[in-house]
Amino acid sequence: MAATAQGARPGVLEETQVRAMFDRIAGLYDRMNSVMTAGMHHRWRRRAADLAAVPAGGRALDVATGTGDLALELARRLNSEGEVIGADFSPRMLELARAKAAAIAAELPGQIHFELANALELPFPDDQFDAATVGFGARNFSSLERGLEEMARVVRPGGRVVVLEITTPTRPPLSHFFSLWFDRVVPALGRLAGDPDAYSYLPNSVRRFPGPDGLAAAMWGCGLRQIRYLVTAGGIIAIHVGVVSGR
């Protein structure tokens, strides 16, 4: 499959192409994440889970959950009455997420379930969750605004929406390193792993995604308030938090 549909902008794929790509790379996904981030992605997910501030007996939704790492972090913060649902539209990713959760079930105080769902059409009623999160998946939404609106819709007023995403540093020398890493090294790793298209798509999808201020504005436009964000890892990672306003 070509990394970009004919005539499309780099880093933009049709929804069916994105689903097929993630089904295809599911077996590589965790390993490549660890290589590309030197294992730091787990720390960033822990921070995002903390910022979601889900009550111990509450409910959380992790959108575009992939192999479930952020959903598992949320479940670790709950008690036996708490519940996390991890949603993704890649069946293969969900298979791996369920296997991962089953392997550590004894370590999880909270309940966790994984469901097949499209982030742009979440199959949940309004006001069902105390928080909704997305980790490294928002840039794959075919409509960022629609995805954020859906996350806000299913969260009760006063609950939080958390977006963890890669962002592009603007200050040298890190900006130069970031460009070298994402434009040269990551595609090379993808070729070695046997899927150059997917790992050429990654840097392009990061480049076209809004910067921290732009994402904050998009969240505000979707009705979220009290928006704040932190930029960490030298400017490579941004974690945004918004509160669902009363309806």
Side-chain angles (χ1 to χ4, degrees):
M1 181 184 69
T4 307
Q6 186 174 2
R9 291 176 294 147
V12 179
L13 294 175
E14 296 294 330
E15 184 176 294
T16 54
Q17 292 177 300
V18 174
R19 182 186 295 111
M21 179 184 72
F22 280 107
D23 276 342
R24 195 175 68 244
I25 68 171
L28 301 170
Y29 186 77
D30 286 346
R31 191 178 313 119
M32 288 292 288
N33 278 352
S34 293
V35 170
M36 289 189 299
T37 68
M40 295 291 288
H41 64 103
H42 294 297
R43 178 180 297 182
W44 303 328
R45 286 186 171 93
R46 287 194 291 269
R47 189 69 179 273
D50 287 340
L51 290 171
V54 183
R59 299 184 77 216
L61 173 68
D62 185 42
V63 175
T65 195
T67 60
D69 282 336
L70 182 48
L72 292 169
E73 287 297 338
L74 291 165
R76 289 186 175 99
R77 287 155 177 75
L78 304 182
N79 61 28
S80 59
E81 297 179 354
E83 179 187 29
V84 176
I85 295 178
D88 203 286
F89 70 175
S90 165
R92 179 57 180 149
M93 286 283 194
L94 290 175
E95 287 178 14
L96 296 174
R98 292 183 183 113
K100 187 183 294 183
I104 61 170
E107 304 171 18
L108 299 177
Q111 304 172 54
I112 187 165
H113 309 283
F114 293 98
E115 298 186 13
L116 188 68
N118 188 325
L120 306 190
E121 298 178 11
L122 293 172
F124 309 108
D126 297 354
D127 306 341
Q128 290 296 296
F129 299 95
D130 296 289
T133 62
V134 57
F136 307 115
R139 68 178 183 278
N140 299 311
F141 294 168
S142 57
S143 169
L144 175 62
E145 291 73 18
R146 178 63 178 166
L148 293 173
E149 287 170 355
E150 278 290 273
M151 292 175 71
R153 177 184 66 78
V154 300
V155 172
R156 62 169 178 77
R160 295 185 176 189
V161 170
V162 178
V163 182
L164 164 63
E165 195 52 87
I166 302 170
T167 192
T168 303
T170 57
R171 296 182 179 179
L174 189 60
S175 59
H176 300 318
F177 171 77
F178 182 88
S179 179
L180 174 65
W181 181 254
F182 268 78
D183 291 340
R184 303 279 184 87
V185 177
V186 168
L189 289 171
R191 287 192 294 273
L192 289 172
D195 205 314
D197 287 347
Y199 289 96
S200 294
Y201 164 82
L202 170 61
N204 286 324
S205 70
V206 171
R207 189 175 293 109
R208 70 163 175 80
F209 194 72
D213 288 339
L215 180 55
M219 294 173 71
W220 180 275
C222 295
L224 296 166
R225 296 297 180 260
Q226 300 178 44
I227 297 165
R228 59 192 175 97
Y229 65 82
L230 63 92
V231 178
T232 188
I236 293 175
I237 296 297
I239 309 175
H240 286 65
V241 182
V243 176
V244 176
S245 61
R247 300 186 231 279

